[in-house]
Amino acid sequence: MSIGKPVRSRIPALGRNVVSGRRHTFTGYVPSTKVGNDHQLIAYESLLERDFIQLLEDDDEVESYRDRSEAVIWTDESGAEHRYLPDFDVLKRNGVRICVEVKPFERIERKRLRPLYAMVEKAAIASGRFHRFEIWTDREIRRPIPLYNAELRNIGRLDEFDHSASISVIGALRAASGSCTIRELRLRSGLDAGSFRAVVASLAERRIIMADNALAIDDDCVVALEAVA
């Protein structure tokens, strides 16, 4: 595998048995809107992984990614070899490929896994397949507002609706001098019940942007044309 070549997810992904039968585990698939993923389904083995996928889907810097990939062979302190299957193999648009482990923070600390992951990191980079190794826990993934906004925009990307509605949103925003609250934009658009849906889809398409990304996408959120920001 070329280190800069887009990765492709498969069903089932290599090394992943989504219908695992394990108790207290939620598994399934999320449809990807990434062109680099060929719009395929991405598997997850926990709700935390599902939430991480939401962040990947909403990240414009991510070119492509897949659930699991070929095993990384690493050696422990006794010289014994082990196989590590990355939770995610992520390729950024700048060509950086990242080996990602998704794990609850409490489990990492309770089982004292950081020394193990340090050895995995060393092996992953030495393999020539990855530039970096990253650990993502619930502390990074489940920040309420960023995750909520990502999920909402992802719904907008998957939503099948008349794209002329986005044209109405853009026109209404221009009439508002290029910036206003979503509440005002909905009223100006004349789209009635479908107005919020159209605004979210326009945000998902990056045709309009949020004035402050730290705020939740709701009626009080200010949005703008990109040229105005």
Side-chain angles (χ1 to χ4, degrees), residues 169-180 184-185 188 225:
V169 167
I170 299 299
L173 194 51
R174 287 199 179 106
S177 300
S179 178
C180 65
E184 182 181 355
L185 183 57
R188 285 174 173 269
L225 295 171

Side-chain angles (χ1 to χ4, degrees), residues 2-213:
S2 171
I3 198 168
K5 183 179 179 181
V7 290
R8 309 296 188 190
S9 188
R10 291 181 263 177
I11 305 174
L14 183 65
R16 173 160 294 199
N17 179 16
V18 172
V19 186
S20 63
R22 290 181 296 179
R23 297 180 61 187
H24 312 302
T25 299
F26 293 86
T27 61
Y29 296 99
V30 174
S32 177
T33 62
K34 293 284 186 184
V35 175
N37 282 358
D38 292 334
H39 303 284
Q40 296 188 39
L41 296 179
I42 307 297
Y44 63 85
E45 288 188 332
S46 70
L47 294 181
L48 188 59
E49 285 190 3
R50 186 190 66 179
D51 290 345
F52 181 64
I53 291 171
Q54 298 296 324
L55 298 182
L56 290 176
E57 282 293 306
D58 193 49
D59 188 346
D60 287 341
E61 297 304 313
V62 172
E63 172 72 23
S64 61
Y65 65 95
R66 65 170 295 175
D67 47 288
R68 296 286 176 102
S69 62
E70 291 82 357
V72 171
I73 307 301
W74 63 279
T75 305
D76 64 23
E77 294 174 342
S78 69
E81 286 192 347
H82 304 270
R83 297 174 74 253
Y84 167 79
L85 289 171
D87 285 334
F88 293 93
D89 180 340
V90 180
L91 178 66
K92 306 295 282 291
R93 292 192 183 278
N94 61 5
V96 172
R97 187 179 292 279
I98 308 169
C99 178
V100 177
E101 170 70 17
V102 174
K103 190 84 70 183
F105 179 84
E106 185 275 335
R107 188 178 305 172
I108 290 175
E109 297 304 307
R110 175 168 48 86
K111 294 190 174 182
R112 300 178 180 177
L113 296 176
R114 294 193 185 276
L116 182 152
Y117 289 139
M119 290 183 281
V120 171
E121 176 179 17
K122 182 178 179 180
I125 295 173
S127 72
R129 289 170 46 204
F130 299 100
H131 296 94
R132 293 206 308 262
F133 176 84
E134 294 181 357
I135 300 172
W136 284 71
T137 74
D138 45 303
R139 293 192 174 188
E140 295 82 35
I141 295 171
R142 287 182 171 160
R143 293 179 297 150
I145 290 177
L147 181 58
Y148 162 78
N149 287 349
E151 289 178 328
L152 200 57
R153 283 189 291 257
N154 290 336
I155 291 171
R157 292 184 182 94
L158 292 167
D159 200 2
E160 294 184 4
F161 80 111
D162 184 357
H163 285 275
S164 64
S166 283
I167 297 175
S168 297
V169 167
I170 299 299
L173 194 51
R174 287 199 179 106
S177 300
S179 178
C180 65
T181 64
I182 289 180
R183 178 183 291 104
E184 182 181 355
L185 183 57
R186 290 196 303 104
L187 294 174
R188 285 174 173 269
S189 70
L191 294 171
D192 300 321
S195 59
F196 188 76
R197 178 182 173 190
V199 171
V200 169
S202 298
L203 285 167
E205 295 170 351
R206 314 298 190 194
R207 301 187 69 179
I208 64 176
I209 62 173
M210 298 172 61
D212 187 346
N213 287 316

